Amino acid sequence: MSPILFWIFAALMLGFGAATLVNRNPVASALSLVVSLLGLSALFFSLDAYFIGVIQILVYAGAVMVLFLFIIMLLDLKAEQRRQISLPVLLGGVAVTALFVTQIALVVRTFQVGNKPFPSLAAKFDDASNIGNMLFSHYNLPFQVIGVLILVASIGVVVLSKRELN
Amino acid sequence: MNAILHDLADPNSILFMIWTTLAKSAGLLGVVLGMVSYTVYAERRVSSLMQDRLGPNRTGFPISLLGFGLKDWSPILGGLGQPIADAVKLLLKEDFTPAYVKKFYYWIAPALGIAAAIISLAVIPFGSKIGTVDMVIANIDIGPLFIFAISSLGVYGIVLAGWSANSKYPFLGAIRSTSQLISYELALGLSVVPLFLIIGKLNLVEIVHYQVQNGWMLLPGLTAGKLPTLSQVLCWIPVLISFLVFTIAMFAETNRLPFDLPEAETELVGGYHTEYSSMKFALFFLGEYTAMITGSSLIITLFLGAWHFPGIPDGSMSGWPGVLWGLVNIGVFFTKVFAFLIFFIFIRWTLPRFRYDQLMKLGWIWLFEIALVNIFLTALIVAFVH
Amino acid sequence: MAYQVPRPKLTFAEKIYLPSVIAGLKITLGHLWRMLRGKTHVCMQYPEEKWDSHLPPHYRGAPTLVSDEFGRTRCVACQLCEFICPPRAIRIKPGEIPAENKFAKVEKFPEEFQIDMIRCIYCGLCEEVCPEQAIFLKKEYAITGTSRAAMMHQKEKLIEMGGIQPGVVNKWNEKK
């Protein structure tokens, strides 16, 4: 993919990421996050990682964010829109962000492996089956453990949402 | 200049790719939108014939107005002009924006709804080949996933429409529709996994090629002109289950009766598009019917051999025969899609609407579980056969 | 007190619902097939086919002014219909019949008589109230026009629609 598209999608992602934080209207924030996620998945597409890119849309933009939006609309939040920005909070936020960005910049500069060019992929590259093979052979145990973890979490939700506990 | 002309005809150049893709997109969009308007017409005609009425049978083409002594042929073409009259009416109607709506979201919601429906058409192989050009706009390796992802984005159109209208019936419609779409997406996605287990590919074009060689998924072997093998017969059981679940989930996903809870007229006035008029309303309408066409195309591509019909060659040969057979293949595809749309219409005018709790129960307790069990069944069969 | 609706016990075939889908399709497709073969005839193709000959004698269509056997409008411009008309669709401008006229005994005639067919509700009170039996509701029901003026039936139009109707009230007839 040409660098122009990379810059367009990166700018889209970062711009709407910032809009998520800056917007006072919760619905506008959630929608900005959706656009930001779409930009991210476009970047995945540009790396030939079609599977991850589509899953990004399917799971985050298509399911999780819809539920978020749903809850926001049902709650009809008004308090967030009226809140004032206080100076100490703003300064603190800027300071933490600056610290974090400096840290990342230092790490990236000293990270020697990152300077090596990535070997180009084969012309026809089936990333879905590659991910499947990796997941079920190399990372089988962690994968299963995560499955159990999610099961525990969902059972927990069911138990908690039941009103009367004997 | 000559170099550009040469590029335009050279199958390996980027210019060739660009103009063929543009031509395919324009052609497909034209065919699908035309099909949408005539599906609406077919819906009105078929429904009225099923209810012992006649339906719109008058609006013909007033060609006698052009002069030249032309005749109207109204008794023969009766009704076929109706979609055009409808479109003109919708375009010319007053586009009314209520004062209390949230303007920005009110405006982008219809566009989101139809964009999602149209984008997912991009990965559907609607024909074999014309010469060297594949009759699919984007041949990507994860076709079905792409369609699911994009159609899950279509929910935003509905949610925003209902919410921005700032009025209770659209909002209730939007809430229903969101929960319905989220519930049925799971069943929809899981029900086709057995197919991918059997075929071993996620690319729609390759899935179609598999069906050309081994027979359609629902009619294994036979349509490829040979008897089905034992493994194909065994695999046919989960494929049938998956077809049923997928079709039912597709009905729910496209908001068709018996699952049209979001716009249940008797309960919710008009559902999420109550506050819309004119072309904005028409966009929702178009989006809904385009989603129907995308859904039917997906069912046909996955289970019924897409453009393949026994005895008709594909269009990969060079010269005019290639073009001719390629066009015939496209015709076969759209005929199948149309047949499926008619089936959609039959079902719509036959069954009563489900209750909301029945809808949720069907989605979460029945379809979801059946699809899950079906995956394990297929895995067992595939393991047994190998 | 809450009333519990007894739920019917469903058989397995009813529970999985698909047999009922097929049964329903059988009915609707049966109707479609009958319709396609032209066996069903329930619709009347309205402008071409009409039900006019089946209209009952008391049918209330458009109000009109009838004339007697001498071709004279029977209306004496008493304005009773104008006063009783619930939607106030009738407007009458009475005029005097000159003394040398053959019908001078009648005294008044409608100089203008108009019925606004946009307002008319076809109630028939005008016919009911008319002491001269001059106004009758005819069987015409397809009253259309492309403008408001066309829907305003003037005296000439009303007389033309009414036609000649020899009646029982003839007290202004010189011979009686």
Side-chain angles (χ1 to χ4, degrees):
Chain A
M1 189 166 76
S2 76
I4 302 168
L5 285 179
F6 168 79
W7 288 115
I8 290 175
F9 284 118
L12 200 71
M13 194 187 129
L14 291 176
F16 277 93
T20 310
L21 297 176
V22 173
N23 262 319
R24 279 278 155 250
N25 182 348
V27 173
S29 281
L31 287 175
S32 310
L33 188 53
V34 171
V35 179
S36 173
L37 287 170
L38 291 183
L40 181 62
S41 80
L43 292 184
F44 275 125
F45 282 135
S46 73
L47 295 171
D48 281 339
Y50 293 106
F51 186 74
I52 303 281
V54 158
I55 291 297
Q56 184 84 23
I57 298 179
L58 193 62
V59 174
Y60 289 103
V64 173
M65 285 315 294
V66 172
L67 286 177
F68 263 52
L69 203 62
F70 206 50
I71 303 294
I72 292 172
M73 286 174 182
L74 278 180
L75 292 180
D76 199 17
L77 301 171
K78 288 269 159 50
E80 186 67 21
Q81 288 184 40
R82 277 187 238 109
R83 212 179 61 185
Q84 299 293 319
I85 305 168
S86 64
L87 194 63
V89 172
L90 191 68
L91 287 180
V94 168
V96 170
T97 316
L99 209 67
F100 185 65
V101 169
T102 337
Q103 224 170 9
I104 286 182
L106 288 175
V107 169
V108 168
R109 263 183 61 189
T110 52
F111 187 61
Q112 289 307 319
V113 189
N115 289 334
K116 278 192 220 156
F118 196 69
S120 60
L121 295 168
K124 197 73 181 164
F125 176 74
D126 193 354
D127 63 327
S129 67
N130 266 3
I131 288 173
N133 279 333
M134 274 304 222
L135 218 52
F136 285 102
S137 56
H138 203 261
Y139 296 105
N140 198 8
L141 183 66
F143 185 69
Q144 305 290 345
V145 171
I146 288 176
V148 173
L149 195 69
I150 292 173
L151 183 69
V152 168
S154 49
I155 290 175
V157 168
V158 171
V159 169
L160 284 178
S161 60
K162 284 220 167 187
R163 286 281 160 78
E164 65 275 359
L165 283 171
N166 297 329
Chain B
M1 192 62 208
N2 260 337
I4 293 176
L5 278 179
H6 181 259
D7 264 12
L8 283 177
D10 176 22
N12 295 319
S13 72
I14 194 134
L15 262 179
F16 181 79
M17 198 189 91
I18 289 174
W19 83 257
T20 50
T21 307
L22 281 179
K24 280 187 285 188
S25 314
L28 185 64
L29 198 63
V31 169
V32 166
L33 289 186
M35 213 163 157
V36 163
S37 46
Y38 276 91
T39 310
V40 178
Y41 172 67
E43 173 123 50
R44 292 173 69 183
R45 258 341 262 282
V46 171
S47 70
S48 48
L49 291 178
M50 283 164 90
Q51 296 167 348
D52 296 346
R53 297 182 286 118
L54 284 179
N57 63 347
R58 298 220 163 240
T59 324
F61 300 94
I63 40 179
S64 58
L65 291 183
L66 294 175
F68 311 119
L70 290 168
K71 266 171 70 183
D72 261 354
W73 298 105
S74 279
I76 300 161
L77 300 176
L80 285 180
Q82 190 69 39
I84 297 162
D86 282 348
V88 171
K89 181 201 79 173
L90 283 166
L91 275 170
L92 295 182
K93 258 181 139 174
E94 185 191 355
D95 192 359
F96 182 74
T97 309
Y100 46 79
V101 298
K102 301 183 171 87
K103 291 266 160 41
F104 177 71
Y105 303 104
Y106 182 83
W107 275 81
I108 60 168
L112 281 180
I114 192 167
I118 287 179
I119 290 172
S120 40
L121 283 172
V123 295
I124 288 182
F126 55 91
S128 53
K129 268 181 179 187
I130 290 185
T132 52
V133 187
D134 271 325
M135 280 299 114
V136 52
I137 294 170
N139 185 2
I140 59 176
D141 278 338
I142 40 157
L145 285 180
F146 179 83
I147 292 179
F148 295 150
I150 297 299
S151 65
S152 74
L153 290 183
V155 182
Y156 285 107
I158 294 171
V159 172
L160 287 181
W163 176 72
S164 67
N166 221 350
S167 126
K168 53 187 166 300
Y169 289 123
F171 189 55
L172 285 174
I175 286 177
R176 280 185 176 191
S177 148
T178 316
S179 45
Q180 177 178 331
L181 289 181
I182 291 174
S183 326
Y184 277 83
E185 244 160 44
L186 278 170
L188 199 70
L190 285 177
S191 65
V192 284
V193 172
L195 232 67
F196 306 142
L197 284 179
I198 294 167
I199 298 174
K201 287 280 187 312
L202 265 176
N203 186 323
L204 284 174
V205 175
E206 283 169 29
I207 289 174
V208 175
H209 276 296
Y210 177 90
Q211 295 186 67
V212 171
Q213 278 153 17
N214 300 305
W216 305 352
M217 292 311 289
L218 269 184
L219 301 163
L222 297 176
T223 51
K226 51 193 171 193
L227 281 177
T229 59
L230 175 70
S231 70
Q232 280 179 329
V233 172
L234 279 179
C235 287
W236 183 75
I237 303 162
V239 167
L240 183 67
I241 298 173
S242 131
F243 173 71
L244 286 177
V245 173
F246 189 79
T247 310
I248 296 171
M250 189 50 89
F251 270 91
E253 191 74 5
T254 49
N255 290 340
R256 292 286 292 183
L257 223 93
F259 304 106
D260 73 334
L261 272 297
E263 48 195 276
E265 305 92 346
T266 38
E267 302 158 30
L268 291 177
V269 189
Y272 53 86
H273 49 53
T274 304
E275 306 287 343
Y276 284 88
S277 58
S278 178
M279 206 54 209
K280 291 207 205 78
F281 169 75
L283 281 182
F284 279 117
F285 216 66
L286 277 180
E288 208 167 285
Y289 278 82
T290 313
M292 243 168 90
I293 289 179
T294 317
S296 317
S297 321
L298 192 57
I299 291 175
I300 279 151
T301 311
L302 290 176
F303 295 97
L304 292 167
W307 45 263
H308 175 247
F309 196 81
I312 296 180
D314 65 9
S316 54
M317 45 205 123
S318 60
W320 282 110
V323 176
L324 187 70
W325 287 118
L327 289 177
V328 169
N329 287 149
I330 295 175
V332 167
F333 180 80
F334 281 108
T335 313
K336 284 183 185 175
V337 170
F338 199 73
F340 219 85
L341 289 175
I342 295 288
F343 173 68
F344 263 76
I345 293 171
F346 284 164
I347 291 290
R348 169 165 182 188
W349 296 97
T350 298
L351 297 181
R353 185 179 297 135
F354 277 89
R355 223 169 46 217
Y356 192 67
D357 62 313
Q358 290 170 332
L359 176 90
M360 284 292 142
K361 200 176 165 194
L362 182 69
W364 284 105
I365 297 188
W366 291 107
L367 294 184
F368 180 56
E369 257 71 49
I370 291 173
L372 266 186
V373 171
N374 200 20
I375 292 174
F376 289 113
L377 181 70
T378 319
L380 273 180
I381 290 172
V382 169
F384 171 74
V385 168
H386 283 290
Chain C
M1 207 188 97
Y3 176 68
Q4 193 92 37
V5 181
R7 296 276 176 208
K9 267 260 183 226
L10 297 180
T11 60
F12 178 72
E14 282 168 336
K15 266 185 193 157
I16 60 169
Y17 200 64
L18 289 178
S20 356
V21 173
I22 293 164
L25 276 177
K26 218 186 265 173
I27 293 174
T28 46
L29 294 186
H31 275 264
L32 178 69
W33 181 233
R34 274 226 312 277
M35 195 76 191
L36 287 179
R37 282 185 306 160
K39 296 263 169 156
T40 319
H41 186 78
V42 284
C43 282
M44 179 173 277
Q45 294 295 296
Y46 165 64
E48 290 91 14
E49 300 169 32
K50 283 186 177 172
W51 193 244
D52 287 6
S53 54
H54 296 268
L55 290 178
H58 51 270
Y59 184 83
R60 299 202 304 260
T64 57
L65 287 177
V66 296
S67 316
D68 62 11
E69 53 268 49
F70 307 109
R72 192 184 67 87
T73 312
R74 298 158 77 102
C75 178
V76 296
C78 68
Q79 292 179 297
L80 274 178
C81 50
E82 185 176 355
F83 294 135
I84 203 163
C85 181
R88 310 217 169 156
I90 302 178
R91 283 278 174 282
I92 300 170
K93 189 177 170 204
E96 202 175 331
I97 300 180
E100 60 271 22
N101 193 293
K102 187 174 141 201
F103 298 110
K105 214 170 140 192
V106 180
E107 289 179 6
K108 285 204 292 179
F109 79 104
E111 223 165 67
E112 272 173 31
F113 195 116
Q114 58 181 35
I115 304 184
D116 187 349
M117 292 311 292
I118 299 173
R119 306 192 83 174
C120 176
I121 58 171
Y122 303 91
C123 62
L125 282 182
C126 45
E127 180 181 348
E128 204 78 22
V129 82
C130 185
E132 302 294 328
Q133 298 198 344
I135 191 160
F136 275 88
L137 266 62
K138 294 280 176 181
K139 287 184 181 172
E140 270 140 70
Y141 49 84
I143 310 292
T144 54
T146 49
S147 65
R148 277 165 197 280
M151 293 299 283
M152 196 75 86
H153 284 183
Q154 302 293 343
K155 189 175 142 195
E156 295 73 32
K157 167 110 181 169
L158 291 168
I159 292 172
E160 184 202 322
M161 281 170 79
I164 289 172
Q165 185 159 351
V168 283
V169 181
N170 279 311
K171 59 182 167 184
W172 303 114
N173 193 334
E174 296 280 356
K175 294 179 184 138
K176 295 213 173 156

